[in-house]
Amino acid sequence: CRCCAEGRRHSSILYSILRSEERAVPPARPAPRGCPCGSRRRVALRSPQVACKAASAVLVKTLRFVQNVPCFQELPLEEQLLLVRSCWAPLLLLGLAQERVHLETVESAEPSMLQRILTARQQGEQPAPRPPPARTHHGPHLPSAGDIQAIKGFLAKCWSLDISTKEYAYLKGTVLFNPDLPGLQCTQYIEGLQREAQQALNEHVRLIHRGDEARFAKLNVVLSLLRSINANVVAELFFRPIIGTVNMDDMLLEMLCAKL
């Protein structure tokens, strides 16, 4: 196809686009580990309007970054949508880490199972059955304490590595150009772009962090952490509190086709 024929030319363009100006990010102490028995507790953002506004701004900035990659623009619109729909959540989380957006959460008012049992025993009653989790059109993906801890752990990992702007750009390129998605036509072209992003990241690390031979592997651990975070949880956490039921496909299509 036309995209595959121009793969070599645009791989060098990807390399130059991803090498954006560098901005240092100060490290942060890793988030403390929570008790595993409480990982199923429901949690919410302490200031949802503030966090959701920040996430929305990062999403706009992220899609603008994507649109400014020439080799992405060369893809057919259908291919662009497939890629963005599959990776908007990890790209957003990388953007939140880069912009150092901190999450402050509170537990929901629902009592824990232990509290329900102890209360029932004091009253000489049988504990009432726990209601099923609320459902949205995405399914039962309301954020739990475990979900939030996974996101906070990812952010803490990024901050502890003091990832630079260039490294974030290469990581975003690796995430964006995923050749394994079903339905893609230009798979060889997209695979070449992903490989180019990884090679650029490796070369940058070897040049800037010569004393840290394990840094490239550590940065790829960041990508593995991203894969464990559910996109529906991200949508529920950052967008549902302010705009209600979220149809991310429609929102991404509108944003991708708009001039951001």
Side-chain angles (χ1 to χ4, degrees):
C1 69
R2 172 169 166 265
C3 298
C4 296
E6 297 183 353
R8 290 187 177 180
R9 179 170 66 89
H10 289 299
S11 62
S12 60
I13 297 177
L14 170 68
Y15 187 92
S16 62
I17 282 293
L18 291 180
R19 297 184 65 88
S20 55
E21 63 178 305
E22 205 157 358
R23 181 173 55 195
V25 180
R29 288 179 295 180
R33 292 185 178 181
C35 176
C37 61
S39 63
R40 296 183 180 180
R41 293 194 303 269
R42 299 294 150 183
V43 294
L45 294 172
R46 182 181 297 276
S47 303
Q49 287 76 15
V50 175
C52 294
K53 183 178 180 180
S56 298
V58 171
L59 182 60
V60 170
K61 188 174 182 179
T62 298
L63 292 181
R64 186 183 295 125
F65 165 84
V66 170
Q67 289 178 323
N68 286 335
V69 179
C71 46
F72 179 81
Q73 297 174 350
E74 292 292 331
L75 289 167
L77 180 59
E78 295 79 7
E79 304 274 286
Q80 295 181 26
L81 289 175
L82 278 174
L83 292 175
V84 171
R85 284 172 176 169
S86 72
C87 71
W88 71 267
L91 287 180
L92 174 62
L93 292 174
L94 283 169
L96 293 174
Q98 186 174 5
E99 298 295 326
R100 294 193 60 81
V101 176
H102 291 264
L103 302 183
E104 294 186 15
T105 57
V106 293
E107 292 186 19
S108 66
E110 179 184 353
S112 67
M113 180 59 71
L114 178 59
Q115 290 173 324
R116 295 168 65 87
I117 292 174
L118 293 177
T119 301
R121 284 182 178 177
Q122 289 176 357
Q123 298 175 353
E125 302 172 355
Q126 292 295 325
R130 190 172 186 176
R135 290 177 176 264
T136 68
H137 74 286
H138 289 302
H141 288 291
L142 292 177
S144 66
D147 295 327
I148 301 301
Q149 185 58 37
I151 294 176
K152 287 184 175 181
F154 163 78
L155 295 175
K157 182 66 174 179
C158 291
W159 297 333
S160 70
L161 290 173
D162 194 12
I163 300 176
S164 70
T165 299
K166 287 185 178 181
E167 289 170 332
Y168 274 119
Y170 300 139
L171 291 172
K172 291 175 185 177
T174 301
V175 170
L176 174 63
F177 297 111
N178 180 8
D180 300 324
L181 296 177
L184 290 176
Q185 300 299 318
C186 303
T187 53
Q188 291 183 351
Y189 174 61
I190 294 171
E191 183 178 9
L193 294 175
Q194 186 184 66
R195 184 167 54 250
E196 182 75 19
Q198 278 279 287
Q199 290 173 349
L201 175 62
N202 193 14
E203 291 176 9
H204 173 78
V205 168
R206 292 173 60 185
L207 178 65
I208 303 300
H209 301 276
R210 297 181 179 179
D212 189 354
E213 297 181 356
R215 183 170 181 82
F216 180 70
K218 294 175 183 176
L219 291 173
N220 277 284
V221 169
V222 168
L223 297 179
S224 66
L225 292 176
L226 278 175
R227 300 187 190 101
S228 66
I229 301 175
N230 192 294
N232 290 331
V233 169
V234 178
E236 290 288 341
L237 182 65
F238 291 110
F239 299 105
R240 182 178 176 85
I242 55 172
I243 62 177
T245 303
V246 184
N247 189 323
M248 291 304 301
D249 286 350
D250 291 344
M251 191 167 78
L252 290 170
L253 176 60
E254 181 178 351
M255 296 177 70
L256 194 62
C257 295
K259 294 182 179 180
L260 300 175

mmCIF file of all heavy atoms in Angstrom, residues 233-250:
data_model
loop_
_atom_site.group_PDB
_atom_site.id
_atom_site.type_symbol
_atom_site.label_atom_id
_atom_site.label_comp_id
_atom_site.label_asym_id
_atom_site.label_seq_id
_atom_site.Cartn_x
_atom_site.Cartn_y
_atom_site.Cartn_z
ATOM 1 N N VAL A 233 -11.433 2.062 33.138
ATOM 2 C CA VAL A 233 -11.208 2.647 34.463
ATOM 3 C C VAL A 233 -10.731 4.086 34.317
ATOM 4 O O VAL A 233 -11.166 4.979 35.053
ATOM 5 C CB VAL A 233 -10.179 1.805 35.243
ATOM 6 C CG1 VAL A 233 -9.727 2.532 36.503
ATOM 7 C CG2 VAL A 233 -10.770 0.445 35.602
ATOM 8 N N VAL A 234 -9.845 4.330 33.369
ATOM 9 C CA VAL A 234 -9.342 5.684 33.135
ATOM 10 C C VAL A 234 -10.482 6.608 32.712
ATOM 11 O O VAL A 234 -10.591 7.746 33.183
ATOM 12 C CB VAL A 234 -8.231 5.660 32.062
ATOM 13 C CG1 VAL A 234 -7.738 7.076 31.763
ATOM 14 C CG2 VAL A 234 -7.073 4.785 32.514
ATOM 15 N N ALA A 235 -11.357 6.124 31.830
ATOM 16 C CA ALA A 235 -12.490 6.936 31.383
ATOM 17 C C ALA A 235 -13.436 7.242 32.541
ATOM 18 O O ALA A 235 -13.895 8.379 32.703
ATOM 19 C CB ALA A 235 -13.240 6.202 30.269
ATOM 20 N N GLU A 236 -13.732 6.235 33.360
ATOM 21 C CA GLU A 236 -14.633 6.436 34.497
ATOM 22 C C GLU A 236 -14.037 7.399 35.514
ATOM 23 O O GLU A 236 -14.743 8.229 36.093
ATOM 24 C CB GLU A 236 -14.927 5.089 35.172
ATOM 25 C CG GLU A 236 -15.784 4.146 34.360
ATOM 26 C CD GLU A 236 -17.230 4.606 34.280
ATOM 27 O OE1 GLU A 236 -17.637 5.435 35.125
ATOM 28 O OE2 GLU A 236 -17.950 4.155 33.382
ATOM 29 N N LEU A 237 -12.736 7.308 35.725
ATOM 30 C CA LEU A 237 -12.088 8.117 36.753
ATOM 31 C C LEU A 237 -11.993 9.578 36.352
ATOM 32 O O LEU A 237 -12.293 10.475 37.148
ATOM 33 C CB LEU A 237 -10.690 7.558 37.040
ATOM 34 C CG LEU A 237 -9.884 8.271 38.130
ATOM 35 C CD1 LEU A 237 -10.558 8.106 39.481
ATOM 36 C CD2 LEU A 237 -8.457 7.717 38.167
ATOM 37 N N PHE A 238 -11.594 9.841 35.102
ATOM 38 C CA PHE A 238 -11.251 11.206 34.718
ATOM 39 C C PHE A 238 -12.335 11.947 33.936
ATOM 40 O O PHE A 238 -12.269 13.174 33.839
ATOM 41 C CB PHE A 238 -9.960 11.205 33.897
ATOM 42 C CG PHE A 238 -8.740 10.845 34.690
ATOM 43 C CD1 PHE A 238 -8.098 9.638 34.481
ATOM 44 C CD2 PHE A 238 -8.247 11.704 35.649
ATOM 45 C CE1 PHE A 238 -6.965 9.294 35.212
ATOM 46 C CE2 PHE A 238 -7.121 11.374 36.388
ATOM 47 C CZ PHE A 238 -6.480 10.173 36.169
ATOM 48 N N PHE A 239 -13.296 11.228 33.366
ATOM 49 C CA PHE A 239 -14.264 11.920 32.521
ATOM 50 C C PHE A 239 -15.709 11.781 32.985
ATOM 51 O O PHE A 239 -16.494 12.711 32.835
ATOM 52 C CB PHE A 239 -14.123 11.438 31.075
ATOM 53 C CG PHE A 239 -12.770 11.723 30.498
ATOM 54 C CD1 PHE A 239 -11.836 10.719 30.323
ATOM 55 C CD2 PHE A 239 -12.406 13.019 30.165
ATOM 56 C CE1 PHE A 239 -10.586 10.985 29.810
ATOM 57 C CE2 PHE A 239 -11.152 13.301 29.656
ATOM 58 C CZ PHE A 239 -10.237 12.283 29.469
ATOM 59 N N ARG A 240 -16.067 10.652 33.554
ATOM 60 C CA ARG A 240 -17.447 10.479 33.991
ATOM 61 C C ARG A 240 -17.883 11.497 35.050
ATOM 62 O O ARG A 240 -19.023 11.976 34.999
ATOM 63 C CB ARG A 240 -17.659 9.057 34.513
ATOM 64 C CG ARG A 240 -19.093 8.780 34.955
ATOM 65 C CD ARG A 240 -19.256 7.337 35.426
ATOM 66 N NE ARG A 240 -20.592 7.106 35.930
ATOM 67 C CZ ARG A 240 -21.635 6.793 35.180
ATOM 68 N NH1 ARG A 240 -21.481 6.689 33.869
ATOM 69 N NH2 ARG A 240 -22.825 6.585 35.710
ATOM 70 N N PRO A 241 -17.027 11.885 36.021
ATOM 71 C CA PRO A 241 -17.490 12.820 37.056
ATOM 72 C C PRO A 241 -17.961 14.169 36.526
ATOM 73 O O PRO A 241 -18.749 14.836 37.186
ATOM 74 C CB PRO A 241 -16.250 12.979 37.949
ATOM 75 C CG PRO A 241 -15.484 11.714 37.762
ATOM 76 C CD PRO A 241 -15.679 11.360 36.326
ATOM 77 N N ILE A 242 -17.480 14.583 35.337
ATOM 78 C CA ILE A 242 -17.862 15.915 34.855
ATOM 79 C C ILE A 242 -18.748 15.888 33.621
ATOM 80 O O ILE A 242 -19.496 16.833 33.400
ATOM 81 C CB ILE A 242 -16.615 16.783 34.571
ATOM 82 C CG1 ILE A 242 -15.684 16.073 33.592
ATOM 83 C CG2 ILE A 242 -15.907 17.155 35.841
ATOM 84 C CD1 ILE A 242 -14.533 16.962 33.130
ATOM 85 N N ILE A 243 -18.689 14.799 32.838
ATOM 86 C CA ILE A 243 -19.517 14.774 31.633
ATOM 87 C C ILE A 243 -20.459 13.577 31.603
ATOM 88 O O ILE A 243 -21.087 13.314 30.589
ATOM 89 C CB ILE A 243 -18.653 14.800 30.354
ATOM 90 C CG1 ILE A 243 -17.743 13.566 30.282
ATOM 91 C CG2 ILE A 243 -17.845 16.067 30.271
ATOM 92 C CD1 ILE A 243 -16.918 13.518 29.001
ATOM 93 N N GLY A 244 -20.554 12.859 32.713
ATOM 94 C CA GLY A 244 -21.504 11.762 32.785
ATOM 95 C C GLY A 244 -21.039 10.556 31.988
ATOM 96 O O GLY A 244 -19.840 10.299 31.847
ATOM 97 N N THR A 245 -22.009 9.809 31.480
ATOM 98 C CA THR A 245 -21.704 8.608 30.715
ATOM 99 C C THR A 245 -20.811 8.946 29.531
ATOM 100 O O THR A 245 -21.117 9.827 28.732
ATOM 101 C CB THR A 245 -22.991 7.944 30.206
ATOM 102 O OG1 THR A 245 -23.829 7.652 31.326
ATOM 103 C CG2 THR A 245 -22.680 6.659 29.459
ATOM 104 N N VAL A 246 -19.699 8.244 29.436
ATOM 105 C CA VAL A 246 -18.669 8.590 28.471
ATOM 106 C C VAL A 246 -18.682 7.614 27.304
ATOM 107 O O VAL A 246 -18.651 6.410 27.497
ATOM 108 C CB VAL A 246 -17.272 8.566 29.131
ATOM 109 C CG1 VAL A 246 -16.216 9.031 28.149
ATOM 110 C CG2 VAL A 246 -17.261 9.420 30.378
ATOM 111 N N ASN A 247 -18.740 8.145 26.097
ATOM 112 C CA ASN A 247 -18.487 7.347 24.897
ATOM 113 C C ASN A 247 -17.170 7.845 24.317
ATOM 114 O O ASN A 247 -17.137 8.830 23.571
ATOM 115 C CB ASN A 247 -19.630 7.497 23.888
ATOM 116 C CG ASN A 247 -19.494 6.517 22.728
ATOM 117 O OD1 ASN A 247 -18.392 6.245 22.272
ATOM 118 N ND2 ASN A 247 -20.612 5.996 22.266
ATOM 119 N N MET A 248 -16.084 7.192 24.709
ATOM 120 C CA MET A 248 -14.770 7.676 24.326
ATOM 121 C C MET A 248 -14.554 7.616 22.823
ATOM 122 O O MET A 248 -13.855 8.464 22.256
ATOM 123 C CB MET A 248 -13.683 6.870 25.037
ATOM 124 C CG MET A 248 -13.608 7.111 26.529
ATOM 125 S SD MET A 248 -13.378 8.859 26.992
ATOM 126 C CE MET A 248 -11.827 9.242 26.171
ATOM 127 N N ASP A 249 -15.143 6.633 22.137
ATOM 128 C CA ASP A 249 -14.969 6.550 20.687
ATOM 129 C C ASP A 249 -15.491 7.805 20.002
ATOM 130 O O ASP A 249 -14.830 8.373 19.122
ATOM 131 C CB ASP A 249 -15.677 5.312 20.139
ATOM 132 C CG ASP A 249 -14.950 4.025 20.468
ATOM 133 O OD1 ASP A 249 -13.804 4.110 20.956
ATOM 134 O OD2 ASP A 249 -15.509 2.946 20.246
ATOM 135 N N ASP A 250 -16.692 8.243 20.400
ATOM 136 C CA ASP A 250 -17.263 9.448 19.798
ATOM 137 C C ASP A 250 -16.427 10.675 20.138
ATOM 138 O O ASP A 250 -16.182 11.540 19.285
ATOM 139 C CB ASP A 250 -18.701 9.654 20.286
ATOM 140 C CG ASP A 250 -19.650 8.598 19.746
ATOM 141 O OD1 ASP A 250 -19.274 7.903 18.781
ATOM 142 O OD2 ASP A 250 -20.760 8.462 20.285
#
